Amino acid sequence: MRAVVYQGPYEVAVEDVDEPEIEHPNDVVVDITTSCICGSDLHMYEGRTAAEEGIVFGHENMGIVSEVGEAVSTLEEGDRVVMPFNVSCGFCQNCEEGYTGFCTNVNPGFAGGAYGYVAMGPYPGGQAEKLRVPYADHNALKLPEGREHEDAFSLLADIFPTGWHGTELANLQPGESVAIFGAGPVGLMAAYSAKIKGAAEIYVVDQVPSRLELAEDHCDAHAIDFSEGDPVDQIIEEHGGMVDKGVDAVGYQATDPDDVDTDTEDYSYDPAKENPAVVINNLIRVVRPTGELGIPGLYVPEDPGAPDDMAAQGRLGIDFGKFFEKGLKCGTGQCNVKEYNRYLRDMIIEGRADPSWVVSHRVDLEEAPEMYEAFDAREEGVTKVLLEP
């Protein structure tokens, strides 16, 4: 079968690889109809992880069940399903308590598993024609038959639940104000979630004009372009003070506003201009005393491409004194997708949510190398890319 294979920094190719097979009675095999390129994939694509050549990418997957293991009881051939990016067992202590993003069985020595991602277990990704899904009764969410809501449902694998998770980590309540740093797919979904939840004022910080326009048009957000000045100062001036809550949808590849080149439309990240702690510190500054921060943005314990030795060890210069002084609270960690995906699916079915507006491209799987390059370069108009095998 054809699949997107990592070949080294800034290089992926669509190659022939072995088709997946049923390996355990609780597996299913899914014929992929949609697989998404995620911002997290770019960390591997850019050589910022220990990913080895040959890994098949793709942790945001949906499709049609084509083979069913004999122990699977709730799925059958022909079922349309979407899979959380988390691979989880469903019965370890963390899974039983709802923390499926931190399963202790699927990836020994590490809390959590995922498809097609470095250090997240032996699970090939779904940017391919087929995908093996372990613990399938637990890991596959059934969808209505047909092709309706295909784009929206594909976002249930990661970014819609993760954006929602960011607002949950911040304990966002109706009527509150929130600042969201990052207008990539997760940041836009966090802003959309804030709108659905009834946030009074939403501020979205980025520098890519097309992304900020989406935040304004679909999330009723105030767009804050950090290339035009300190984003904290801009928010406080526009809001008339600090906001109630904050969300970091950027992670460790954040760029210091002081280093933004305003004379070019090249928004690609340069490690030499990175400041991995800048977003967290800006949130500490912009959220009011006793407010709360949600940090779904990715941070890693090791970063071979870090701008300095401390960041390379996953250590950040956080303004903890100010954090303590203000009595702030903070929630972190990857999303437990199963906590939210069933409810978000039903909101889509009932027409109460439709996140598909964030999708900018649906292309054939063979076009993946070009789309990785465009997405990594933060080209105008490239927000969320869906691959169709």
Side-chain angles (χ1 to χ4, degrees):
M1 69 173 183
R2 303 291 281 170
V4 178
V5 178
Y6 177 63
Q7 295 190 324
Y10 298 98
E11 187 174 0
V12 295
V14 181
E15 300 178 348
D16 290 322
V17 302
D18 293 337
E19 289 192 5
E21 299 178 346
I22 298 291
E23 298 179 14
H24 188 278
N26 60 22
D27 291 348
V28 300
V29 173
V30 173
D31 289 340
I32 297 295
T33 56
T34 300
S35 185
C36 316
I37 299 178
C38 179
S40 297
D41 291 327
L42 297 183
H43 302 308
M44 295 186 292
Y45 174 75
E46 295 170 355
R48 296 292 292 269
T49 72
E52 297 181 357
E53 295 179 16
I55 185 174
V56 175
F57 281 176
H59 58 269
E60 302 182 10
N61 309 303
M62 69 178 294
I64 307 297
V65 175
S66 58
E67 298 180 53
V68 180
E70 61 183 16
V72 175
S73 61
T74 63
L75 300 170
E76 57 186 32
E77 291 183 19
D79 282 345
R80 184 187 187 201
V81 292
V82 62
M83 280 64 66
F85 76 87
N86 319 114
V87 177
S88 54
C89 72
F91 54 81
C92 70
Q93 181 176 354
N94 280 347
C95 283
E96 286 183 343
E97 295 180 357
Y99 301 112
T100 54
F102 302 87
C103 176
T104 55
N105 279 334
V106 296
N107 189 13
F110 192 92
Y115 304 97
Y117 208 85
V118 60
M120 298 299 282
Y123 307 103
Q127 290 174 15
E129 294 178 314
K130 295 177 180 289
L131 176 73
R132 179 180 77 91
V133 179
Y135 303 103
D137 286 314
H138 172 71
N139 283 312
L141 178 69
K142 279 189 182 182
L143 301 169
E145 295 180 359
R147 293 282 296 184
E148 188 177 12
H149 305 305
E150 181 81 7
D151 289 0
F153 284 151
S154 72
L155 305 182
L156 293 173
D158 186 351
I159 67 163
F160 193 13
T162 296
W164 192 276
H165 184 58
T167 65
E168 288 287 299
L169 289 171
N171 193 29
L172 180 67
Q173 300 298 311
E176 291 187 323
S177 55
V178 60
I180 297 165
F181 281 71
V186 170
L188 290 171
M189 288 295 95
Y192 188 52
S193 299
K195 176 184 175 180
I196 293 172
K197 289 184 172 188
E201 291 188 85
I202 304 166
Y203 297 88
V204 175
V205 180
D206 206 287
Q207 64 165 333
V208 182
S210 60
R211 295 180 173 184
L212 290 172
E213 289 172 7
L214 286 173
E216 289 180 317
D217 293 344
H218 296 278
C219 308
D220 299 333
H222 302 272
I224 303 295
D225 186 340
F226 69 80
S227 69
E228 297 180 356
D230 187 307
V232 173
D233 291 343
Q234 292 186 61
I235 292 170
I236 290 176
E237 180 178 358
E238 186 167 343
H239 184 62
M242 301 178 191
V243 296
D244 297 307
K245 303 292 172 62
V247 175
D248 172 3
V250 180
Y252 72 110
Q253 287 188 271
T255 302
D256 194 318
D258 292 339
D259 290 326
V260 174
D261 184 358
T262 58
D263 296 326
T264 178
E265 293 186 357
D266 179 7
Y267 301 107
S268 58
Y269 284 110
D270 179 354
K273 296 181 179 181
E274 287 177 6
N275 179 348
V278 68
V279 167
I280 295 177
N281 286 330
N282 280 339
L283 286 173
I284 291 171
R285 292 170 56 208
V286 80
V287 172
R288 65 173 174 82
T290 73
E292 298 180 61
L293 317 182
I295 306 179
L298 178 65
Y299 289 86
V300 293
E302 296 180 6
D303 176 12
D308 57 60
D309 291 340
M310 190 170 78
Q313 301 174 56
R315 300 178 179 179
L316 305 179
I318 302 299
D319 295 334
F320 193 78
K322 181 61 68 175
F323 181 89
F324 179 88
E325 176 188 281
K326 296 176 75 173
L328 299 173
K329 296 179 182 178
C330 180
T332 70
Q334 67 177 359
C335 178
N336 308 298
V337 172
K338 280 182 64 67
E339 184 175 0
Y340 314 114
N341 65 351
R342 185 179 303 274
Y343 306 106
L344 298 179
R345 175 202 63 186
D346 292 348
M347 290 174 66
I348 293 170
I349 292 171
E350 295 300 322
R352 299 187 184 280
D354 182 3
S356 63
W357 54 265
V358 78
V359 175
S360 59
H361 295 74
R362 172 179 281 277
V363 302
D364 189 89
L365 185 72
E366 298 291 334
E367 298 181 50
E370 294 81 5
M371 295 314 303
Y372 263 93
E373 183 177 356
F375 189 37
D376 186 63
R378 280 67 174 177
E379 287 186 7
E380 274 287 273
V382 180
T383 51
K384 188 63 176 178
V385 178
L386 310 187
L387 303 176
E388 186 172 330

